[in-house]
Amino acid sequence: MSEEPDSKPETAKLVDKKRIAICGGTLGRENRYYIRGQVVDAGITEEMRDDSRWDLLTGLFEGQDKEITPFLDYGLEPVRKPILVAEIWDETENLVHQSPEIKGDDGGFFFHEFTKPLPPGKYSFRILFKRLDSYRQFTKDIAYLNQKGKSEISGSSLIGKGKLRILSEDYTGYVTTSDIDQTYLATDIHSNKGKLSTLFETPQQKLPLPGMPALYREIRLATEDSPLCFISASPHFFRRTLLSTIRSHSIETESLHLKYLEGTIKGIVEKFWDSVTHPTKFITDGILGSMERIRKFAGASFQSLFDQMSYKLTILLRDRLYLPTRSKEILIGDNTESDYLIFLLYQYILSGKMSGKELEDYLYRLNFLGRDAITRDAAKTIAELGAENRKIHGDLNSVSLVLINKTTHGPDEEEMHWNVQSALPAGIDPFKQKEVHPYILTEGAPGFAVVLQDNGILDTSAVFRVVADMAGEWMEGKVIDPPALMEWIQNLTLPGDYQDEKDLIIEGLKRALDREEIT
């Protein structure tokens, strides 16, 4: 008797929705900090009704961290204009503070700033759902509840949690801010096929660049638990996947910033329509002037969907508001887009060398890598954030070190230098000004580690651990075996000042290979 072939397992049927708040974490200082997130309705199966199996810090049900993808989260339904309350709890599970009511926007996003002093330490916050401020969402909920009867969306008011790290106002340690794609993760963002595939990758399928998880861990270890923040231009619906990816690599992070594309698109449509229909624009600027203004706005706005310039500058400047004045920043990026110019402009803005209307006009006219990426509104916001930072911190450049990963997809050092010089105003040379720290171009985790050692942040043993961690990892379709690792280190691109440190790593690696300590 022949055996019947195994039938394919059926996909579990969605039977209800669960209202959750996807938060992540935030970083602040004693007298100024914030919480943020998004409220969504997620489809759930019968099994997922068990509240005890939900991790409200990640917004995921038990086991979802291995199968979640951005594509699955693209279908999450935003909850329009939720009214919430945030509670802050300390590490001993004591409630220490509660916010007034917080109103979310049409996309379910919420933000609330606190100014009540909070002692330095690690906290968590809890998001409680109260009611809705949207008639459209209310009627939608009523229709769904009438159809389903009892539902999870009318259940518990606790819908999400997040982490909150508070630094002392006199904190003088480091804060590391890192890009993700081609800096931390080996993401193929240079082909349409690669960009599409990122939508369907689970956390286990997202591979780190060899040695980078170890590098982040070593920085934290060597700098007395200094914070780590990630900034990516990936869409916001990558959040649960990326948080699970970061966790799977045993990396502790304080915050993850992602781009809200739907908000960008909505802003483009509204601003474009206003520019076209507002008669005063044509009276004051004339027909040709108005049409040129609309053309530039449309072009810059479209590019802003893909470019990182205005987005990352805004996030860096906004986050700096919540950092202690004397904290020192390490910025890590790559050469595939505009990180190296963004990190320079950030320093010029903090130090007051570029400010006010002059800065706004410069950003509005800026064309980098053939793209107009900053609208007038974005330029104005960046200038205002710069002024607010200088009011709080003075004309102080908090950046200590800028590390740029040299990839084969970006320009070489000479072309990068030319790109920067042609983009900055005449007379500004970041490579000759002591107040500004120009980028250091090197190759991945081993190069970063050597530079960090030379700057007294990592010691030799930490550098060696980062390099050793690369053995057995995948890189461009190949496994890094010991000979390949040795070849990589020998060919490592570094400025001449770092050659002695590089030689020490090569000698240590040779000794380890002779003793077969790296396999």
Side-chain angles (χ1 to χ4, degrees):
M1 183 176 178
S2 60
E3 294 183 1
E4 294 183 4
D6 294 336
S7 59
K8 293 182 179 179
E10 294 184 3
T11 303
K13 182 181 178 181
L14 299 180
V15 298
D16 199 0
K17 297 177 184 177
K18 183 177 179 66
R19 188 151 290 172
I20 59 175
I22 303 174
C23 302
T26 60
L27 177 67
R29 52 188 169 87
E30 287 180 79
N31 297 314
R32 192 171 182 180
Y33 49 98
Y34 66 93
I35 56 96
R36 61 190 169 95
Q38 183 190 20
V39 179
V40 297
D41 285 338
I44 61 172
T45 64
E46 189 65 42
E47 180 188 24
M48 296 167 74
R49 291 185 186 276
D50 185 353
D51 287 341
S52 66
R53 297 171 64 186
W54 278 87
D55 183 350
L56 293 182
L57 277 172
T58 61
L60 291 168
F61 186 70
E62 184 180 81
Q64 272 190 311
D65 56 333
K66 296 180 174 59
E67 60 190 38
I68 192 68
T69 67
F71 181 75
L72 292 174
D73 273 2
Y74 182 72
L76 293 176
E77 297 180 38
V79 176
R80 291 172 55 86
K81 298 183 179 180
I83 296 180
L84 315 161
V85 168
E87 296 178 344
I88 298 178
W89 295 66
D90 63 21
E91 290 187 289
T92 60
E93 292 296 301
N94 289 316
L95 176 64
V96 295
H97 191 32
Q98 180 174 293
S99 75
E101 288 189 345
I102 302 168
K103 293 185 178 181
D105 64 15
D106 286 345
F109 288 91
F110 60 89
F111 175 94
H112 182 74
E113 180 178 298
F114 295 87
T115 54
K116 180 180 178 179
L118 197 62
K122 294 183 179 181
Y123 299 82
S124 65
F125 59 89
R126 302 179 184 182
I127 302 301
L128 308 178
F129 178 79
K130 293 298 182 183
R131 61 187 187 279
L132 296 166
D133 193 33
S134 165
Y135 180 73
R136 186 191 306 179
Q137 184 70 48
F138 177 75
T139 54
K140 180 180 178 181
D141 281 5
I142 291 296
Y144 184 80
L145 290 171
N146 287 339
Q147 176 188 357
K148 303 294 291 186
K150 188 178 185 301
S151 171
E152 290 295 318
I153 67 170
S154 61
S156 172
S157 65
L158 176 60
I159 60 173
K161 296 180 180 180
K163 293 182 178 181
L164 172 64
R165 173 86 180 269
I166 299 296
L167 299 176
S168 167
E169 290 288 349
D170 58 6
Y171 177 80
T172 59
Y174 290 97
V175 176
T176 302
T177 301
S178 175
D179 179 43
I180 290 182
D181 297 320
Q182 290 297 311
T183 302
Y184 156 42
L185 295 178
T187 312
D188 179 8
I189 57 175
H190 306 285
S191 67
N192 290 331
K193 179 182 178 182
K195 291 175 182 176
L196 185 62
S197 68
T198 62
L199 291 172
F200 302 94
E201 290 176 345
T202 65
Q204 280 67 35
Q205 292 170 324
K206 290 188 175 295
L207 299 177
L209 290 173
M212 286 306 295
L215 181 82
Y216 295 131
R217 292 192 295 267
E218 291 295 341
I219 293 175
R220 186 180 288 274
L221 185 65
T223 54
E224 298 181 351
D225 197 25
S226 65
L228 169 64
C229 306
F230 282 110
I231 296 180
S232 171
S234 294
H236 68 278
F237 50 85
F238 278 59
R239 183 173 301 278
R240 293 201 297 179
T241 302
L242 287 176
L243 286 173
S244 296
T245 301
I246 292 166
R247 178 181 288 190
S248 72
H249 296 150
S250 301
I251 301 169
E252 183 181 354
T253 183
E254 270 65 27
S255 68
L256 168 64
H257 289 284
L258 299 174
K259 202 171 188 179
Y260 176 35
L261 288 188
E262 280 87 342
T264 304
I265 295 170
K266 181 181 178 183
I268 290 172
V269 172
E270 291 177 349
K271 186 70 176 181
F272 183 79
W273 185 249
D274 177 69
S275 298
V276 171
T277 59
H278 207 296
T280 58
K281 302 286 196 313
F282 290 89
I283 294 172
T284 57
D285 298 343
I287 297 295
L288 292 179
S290 297
M291 294 305 295
E292 174 61 20
R293 186 171 180 272
I294 292 171
R295 182 203 66 78
K296 180 171 176 59
F297 173 80
S301 298
F302 179 76
Q303 290 294 347
S304 73
L305 293 175
F306 311 99
D307 196 70
Q308 304 180 17
M309 185 77 71
S310 61
Y311 165 71
K312 284 190 175 179
L313 262 179
T314 300
I315 294 298
L316 285 168
L317 287 165
R318 188 164 287 144
D319 268 14
R320 175 62 183 152
L321 298 174
Y322 300 94
L323 294 181
T325 295
R326 296 295 170 183
S327 58
K328 300 185 287 288
E329 296 189 74
I330 301 171
L331 304 179
I332 306 178
D334 62 81
N335 67 338
T336 59
E337 278 288 343
S338 48
D339 285 346
Y340 53 100
L341 178 61
I342 292 169
F343 294 160
L344 285 172
L345 290 176
Y346 176 56
Q347 295 180 69
Y348 279 116
I349 295 170
L350 289 182
S351 60
K353 295 184 181 299
M354 301 175 73
S355 62
K357 189 66 165 58
E358 182 182 358
L359 170 62
E360 183 183 328
D361 290 342
Y362 161 76
L363 293 172
Y364 180 60
R365 293 192 300 266
L366 177 61
N367 183 291
F368 189 65
L369 303 180
R371 297 194 291 256
D372 291 326
I374 300 183
T375 64
R376 175 64 74 178
D377 287 345
K380 183 177 180 180
T381 297
I382 290 169
E384 289 173 348
L385 285 170
E388 188 176 356
N389 267 289
R390 292 192 303 277
K391 183 178 179 180
I392 294 170
H393 303 300
D395 294 343
L396 178 66
N397 178 15
S398 57
V399 177
S400 294
L401 199 59
V402 177
L403 305 174
I404 297 295
N405 182 30
K406 180 182 178 182
T407 74
T408 57
H409 303 290
D412 59 22
E413 187 168 11
E414 184 177 349
E415 186 178 351
M416 288 171 62
H417 190 97
W418 187 89
N419 289 342
V420 167
Q421 293 288 38
S422 60
L424 290 173
I428 294 182
D429 187 349
F431 304 98
K432 296 181 179 178
Q433 293 174 310
K434 293 182 179 179
E435 303 89 347
V436 174
H437 297 279
Y439 54 83
I440 298 172
L441 182 66
T442 184
E443 290 168 292
F448 292 161
V450 170
V451 175
L452 289 165
Q453 180 201 25
D454 186 72
N455 283 268
I457 298 170
L458 297 183
D459 59 24
T460 304
S461 61
V463 177
F464 187 69
R465 286 194 295 271
V466 170
V467 173
D469 192 73
M470 298 171 62
E473 295 293 316
W474 283 87
M475 182 65 177
E476 298 181 351
K478 299 178 181 178
V479 175
I480 302 176
D481 56 16
L485 184 56
M486 176 62 75
E487 182 180 0
W488 184 336
I489 302 302
Q490 288 175 332
N491 295 330
L492 187 65
T493 301
L494 281 165
D497 296 344
Y498 298 98
Q499 188 59 47
D500 290 344
E501 286 77 9
K502 175 180 171 180
D503 290 341
L504 287 173
I505 299 304
I506 291 174
E507 288 303 316
L509 189 58
K510 284 180 179 178
R511 289 194 296 271
L513 289 173
D514 290 340
R515 295 193 299 267
E516 297 183 348
E517 291 180 5
I518 297 179
T519 58

